[in-house]
Amino acid sequence: MTIDVPQEILDALTDVDMPRLPTEPGPSDVVRLAGVEAPIYRAGCVVVGSGAAGLRAAVEMKRRDDVVVVSQSAWGGTSACSGSDKQTLHTANTADQGDNYNAMARAIRSGGAMDEDTAYVEAVGSSRMMASLQFLGLPLPQDPLGGTLRYQTDHDEVGRATSCGPRTSRLMVKVLAEEAIRLGVPFYNQTTAVKILTEGAGADRHVVGILAMRATDRTEENPLGIALFVTGVIVLAAGGPGELYRDSVYPNGCFGSLGLALEAGVELVNLTESQFGIGTRREGFPWNLSGTYVQAIPHIYSLDSDGAERHFLAEYYRSTQELASNVFRKGYQWPFHATRMLDFGSSLVDLAISRETAAGRRVFMDLNRNPLSVPGDLPFSLERLDEDVRDYLGKAGADQDMPIDRLKHMNPLAIELYRRYKIDIAEEPLEFAVNNQHMNGGIMVDTWGRSSLGGCYAVGEAAGTHGVTRPGGAALNAGQVFGTRAAEHISATCRAKRYPTGDITGTAEAGIADLLAVLRTESPLTVKSIRSQVQARMSDKAGILCDQESVSGALIEARKLNAEIRANGVAYGRAAEAVRGVQWRHMALASEAVLSALDFFIRNGGGSRGARAICHAEGESLPLANSGPLQDYRFRKERQAHREQQIIVRLDGNEITLSTRPNRSFDESARSFFERDWPAWLTGRIYDRGTDG
């Protein structure tokens, strides 16, 4: 039975208005530095980014200490603007599923290259995060007895996910933003962090401030709007490097903070690991097409340059049942994974789509048609589907004749969402492709969110905590858990109560001088040319299909580009372009870092796993298609040893250095004991404060 959900309910869960920002506090002083009249702002802690993770850190910090948020564009990042059919927040499941925190931690880290203690931290913190978000007003769905409704998503065999529709993460941002404003957290919007300022050496090197560029601070004496935030603590929460790839589902303008961190000497980890999956391009409305979009089993086809339609998936799957079942499985086996190209699995769909677009054909899904039959086989029927697919659709009550009606039944919000952007998927086919969607690597942190730089923390997608794969939606939970833990640790160390006491004028002047040296109006390198080079190189050479020769060649070109930037700077015309100039310098650095790690991985025998297939003529794994073996896509298997370690990346001068470390372990058999362990909590020993305390 289909229950029609009233339009006003659909509207409320789709059109999520964000709160108005409070008035910005003014600077405490204006000082002439490196020839610029720079405003000075002081804060116990500066959170860089206003997404769900950054706002959680800000809210938890404000309850304890002084904090401000700086944001390139408030409510304009991935958690507020992008996502999938069902953004999810993971939480340990109820007893009927046989779940517990250890089991959830094992699922989170099951892809390898992830610290075991981090996985447990995320699992055990999940219940608190969900409960606190519900307290703040997040409308997570419940059954009549108060249990949270759950479902299965990618890399999740138990069913730990929940959702309040396609705008779940935006709703998270909304309730956290309202709480931050209620608590009086100052926001500095249209403020782009451009340089971390540090003092000290070796293990004693620490944060003393951060330079930003702000439109509201532009004056004749400060034409680029350079501002100095004096602080001993920063939390990097600016998301992932969405601009790295041409084929991307990130909203436009998502630069993240990897280049910013690299430039400051912060160690990064797992940069080889990303997520790629089907989604609509960001030239229109960027959105991931996991969940019910494909679980409705639409017809997928391509158009050539003459407008002729190709039923291309029939070239890959042996039967209509096999084709339709694997289109369905993309809903919860959504990201590309090399091993799922084997045995006619669901990632053969990704490979097929990628090949179509590479050949210049456009790919569409049509929710008003069921999949066409594989030539010579029986037509599509809901009765002829693999058992797991039939079982899921049966439990969902999705027995309607057409895909659009199955989608209306399972998730009407999926249709409403596209209508908001003047795309009616109930009436017209939807164009899509395989896109970059998430960076699983990032800044290396410990179980409190601390980076290798004193006073610098990272949370959300900026932090490299995820390993190779993770259950869908677990990143939202990770950002909430680590946003909270970073705030707790900062408060316990009292760092936010101690402003930098020395004179940092010299450090700030040197930082501003470095910035100005990069921005040169006469440079032959423009933002447009750098963007074109970086994005084409990453999409064409570091997408879901890689090989040693292509990656090595791409790395040589990336190094050459960064050498040119160092020699010639980046051109800009208007002041607003200067900000982009600095950001593209950072993206060029991030691109070289990713390619360096990927080249290192492949040269050391790295095989195929979550992010990419490492193609090799003598690879052990050969994808098969209905049309025959796909010899060009033979790939190397992953080595077990690589699952147990992580690749560390650091910028040393102008050189990228690489090393490895084993995953941190976690003893599942260890048990706490109240009387023994309570004093460690009371005295703060649990925070492992070391030199921070």
Side-chain angles (χ1 to χ4, degrees):
M1 179 181 70
T2 299
I3 299 175
D4 289 329
V5 179
Q7 188 64 42
E8 59 268 24
I9 294 177
L10 298 178
D11 290 344
L13 289 174
T14 307
D15 299 327
V16 179
D17 294 328
M18 303 304 291
R20 176 179 243 172
L21 288 169
T23 302
E24 293 180 354
S28 61
D29 200 358
V30 177
V31 178
R32 191 164 187 84
L33 299 170
V36 171
E37 295 288 340
I40 310 298
Y41 302 88
R42 299 180 184 276
C45 173
V46 174
V47 174
V48 180
S50 59
L55 288 173
R56 170 64 81 167
V59 164
E60 300 295 344
M61 275 298 303
K62 187 61 178 177
R63 290 176 177 152
R64 298 166 172 85
D65 285 306
D66 176 50
V67 65
V68 303
V69 173
V70 302
S71 178
Q72 172 185 283
S73 177
W75 333 141
T78 52
S79 52
C81 296
S82 189
S84 66
D85 171 30
K86 294 183 179 179
Q87 284 273 16
T88 58
L89 177 73
H90 269 256
T91 181
N93 213 333
T94 44
D96 66 311
Q97 297 281 0
D99 201 21
N100 58 50
Y101 292 130
N102 280 332
M104 184 175 178
R106 288 193 293 271
I108 291 173
R109 68 175 192 255
S110 63
M114 182 176 184
D115 293 311
E116 294 180 4
D117 52 5
T118 292
Y120 184 78
V121 164
E122 292 179 9
V124 79
S126 61
S127 298
R128 176 182 171 193
M129 294 305 103
M130 189 170 91
S132 59
L133 284 167
Q134 288 175 303
F135 174 77
L136 292 177
L138 187 68
L140 292 173
Q142 300 178 20
D143 64 26
L145 299 179
T148 302
L149 298 181
R150 304 170 190 277
Y151 65 96
Q152 185 176 348
T153 184
D154 50 287
H155 301 294
D156 167 30
E157 299 305 319
V158 173
R160 297 181 178 92
T162 188
S163 168
C164 34
R167 290 300 200 187
T168 301
S169 61
R170 185 172 177 87
L171 286 162
M172 289 169 63
V173 173
K174 177 183 174 69
V175 298
L176 287 163
E178 289 172 341
E179 179 67 0
I181 292 168
R182 186 188 72 80
L183 291 171
V185 175
F187 283 78
Y188 293 92
N189 196 21
Q190 305 300 314
T191 301
T192 303
V194 291
K195 192 171 187 64
I196 298 169
L197 301 178
T198 68
E199 292 184 350
D204 294 327
R205 202 165 62 90
H206 58 278
V207 171
V208 294
I210 192 164
L211 293 176
M213 297 173 77
R214 292 170 34 83
T216 54
D217 284 334
R218 291 177 195 150
T219 65
E220 287 187 13
E221 298 297 321
N222 186 4
L224 301 184
I226 296 172
L228 169 62
F229 285 80
V230 178
T231 183
V233 189
I234 59 173
V235 178
L236 297 178
E243 289 290 343
L244 263 184
Y245 290 84
R246 176 193 62 224
D247 305 328
S248 172
V249 79
Y250 285 84
N252 286 310
C254 290
F255 290 89
S257 53
L258 297 190
L260 180 75
L262 272 171
E263 194 178 59
V266 176
E267 292 179 335
L268 310 184
V269 71
N270 273 351
L271 296 188
T272 54
E273 308 312 315
S274 291
Q275 279 189 188
F276 297 85
I278 56 174
T280 44
R281 295 181 183 275
R282 57 180 172 174
E283 288 81 6
F285 170 54
W287 203 256
N288 299 319
L289 293 172
S290 60
T292 44
Y293 287 106
V294 280
Q295 286 172 326
I297 318 182
H299 175 51
I300 292 175
Y301 65 96
S302 66
L303 293 178
D304 64 19
S305 57
D306 296 324
E309 185 173 314
R310 281 173 41 83
H311 180 34
F312 66 93
L313 288 182
E315 300 171 12
Y316 293 83
Y317 291 101
R318 298 165 294 183
S319 68
T320 310
Q321 176 174 327
E322 187 175 67
L323 185 157
S325 296
N326 280 288
V327 168
F328 171 91
R329 290 189 187 103
K330 289 306 302 174
Y332 62 86
Q333 293 181 346
W334 169 69
F336 172 82
H337 196 291
T339 59
R340 288 201 292 263
M341 292 196 299
L342 303 174
D343 301 320
F344 300 91
S346 64
S347 285
L348 207 55
V349 173
D350 301 289
L351 176 61
I353 293 168
S354 181
R355 294 181 76 192
E356 289 297 295
T357 55
R361 293 184 281 268
R362 301 164 63 197
V363 179
F364 296 82
M365 67 171 60
D366 188 349
L367 286 147
N368 286 300
R369 283 192 285 172
N370 285 310
L372 298 184
S373 61
V374 170
D377 192 32
L378 295 170
F380 171 82
S381 169
L382 290 176
E383 301 302 316
R384 285 190 298 276
L385 293 169
D386 292 352
E387 184 178 356
D388 61 317
V389 179
R390 286 200 316 273
D391 182 60
Y392 190 105
L393 292 175
K395 288 179 179 177
D399 58 358
Q400 295 76 16
D401 290 336
M402 300 304 295
I404 190 62
D405 296 315
R406 295 192 286 271
L407 183 59
K408 284 178 182 176
H409 169 74
M410 290 191 288
N411 188 7
L413 288 170
I415 303 168
E416 292 298 318
L417 183 68
Y418 272 97
R419 281 179 177 155
R420 295 309 192 271
Y421 294 89
K422 304 193 184 320
I423 303 169
D424 192 348
I425 61 176
E427 298 293 333
E428 57 186 292
L430 182 66
E431 185 173 3
F432 70 105
V434 176
N435 295 307
N436 178 250
Q437 183 264 346
H438 194 279
M439 170 61 83
N440 280 2
I443 296 166
M444 187 170 68
V445 296
D446 68 4
T447 55
W448 293 104
R450 287 183 295 185
S451 77
S452 60
L453 172 63
C456 178
Y457 295 71
V459 300
E461 196 177 347
T465 58
H466 298 307
V468 177
T469 61
R470 55 180 174 74
L476 283 172
N477 176 61
Q480 296 299 290
V481 170
F482 275 94
T484 300
R485 285 180 66 82
E488 290 175 339
H489 191 273
I490 293 165
S491 177
T493 62
C494 299
R495 218 184 238 281
K497 293 180 173 65
R498 305 191 303 266
Y499 293 95
T501 54
D503 182 5
I504 69 165
T505 301
T507 302
E509 281 200 307
I512 294 173
D514 285 347
L515 277 179
L516 297 177
V518 172
L519 300 167
R520 307 179 198 173
T521 54
E522 75 284 359
S523 173
L525 290 170
T526 65
V527 164
K528 184 177 180 181
S529 67
I530 296 172
R531 178 178 65 230
S532 177
Q533 284 191 57
V534 169
Q535 291 185 342
R537 188 154 46 237
M538 294 300 294
S539 283
D540 295 339
K541 307 300 183 183
I544 63 172
L545 303 170
C546 291
D547 62 80
Q548 177 68 73
E549 184 179 359
S550 295
V551 170
S552 295
L555 175 57
I556 290 170
E557 292 301 314
R559 286 172 176 161
K560 180 181 175 183
L561 175 60
N562 278 311
E564 291 175 354
I565 292 173
R566 287 191 294 271
N568 300 310
V570 182
Y572 72 98
R574 297 175 297 109
E577 293 174 348
V579 179
R580 285 291 190 252
V582 176
Q583 289 178 308
W584 275 105
R585 178 197 185 192
H586 288 160
M587 293 307 292
L589 274 177
S591 174
E592 182 182 341
V594 172
L595 290 168
S596 295
L598 189 55
D599 181 70
F600 177 87
F601 177 69
I602 297 173
R603 285 184 184 280
N604 284 278
S608 308
R609 47 194 196 182
R612 300 172 175 88
I614 308 302
C615 298
H616 194 279
E618 298 178 3
E620 307 93 328
S621 299
L622 176 63
L624 302 177
N626 188 23
S627 57
L630 298 171
Q631 291 288 354
D632 289 344
Y633 305 100
R634 182 184 287 275
F635 62 87
R636 298 198 312 214
K637 288 184 178 180
E638 181 185 17
R639 290 186 180 181
Q640 179 62 34
H642 290 148
R643 296 171 60 87
E644 297 166 1
Q645 67 181 26
Q646 300 173 36
I647 298 172
I648 301 170
V649 180
R650 180 174 179 173
L651 184 66
D652 187 1
N654 294 328
E655 300 293 325
I656 297 287
T657 63
L658 300 147
S659 60
T660 61
R661 70 163 176 85
N663 301 333
R664 295 193 303 266
S665 62
F666 172 73
D667 183 3
E668 286 190 5
S669 66
R671 295 288 182 269
S672 60
F673 194 82
F674 189 88
E675 288 82 358
R676 181 193 67 202
D677 297 333
W678 192 21
W681 157 259
L682 293 174
T683 61
R685 289 202 307 273
I686 68 164
Y687 296 105
D688 181 29
R689 289 179 290 191
T691 58
D692 290 330

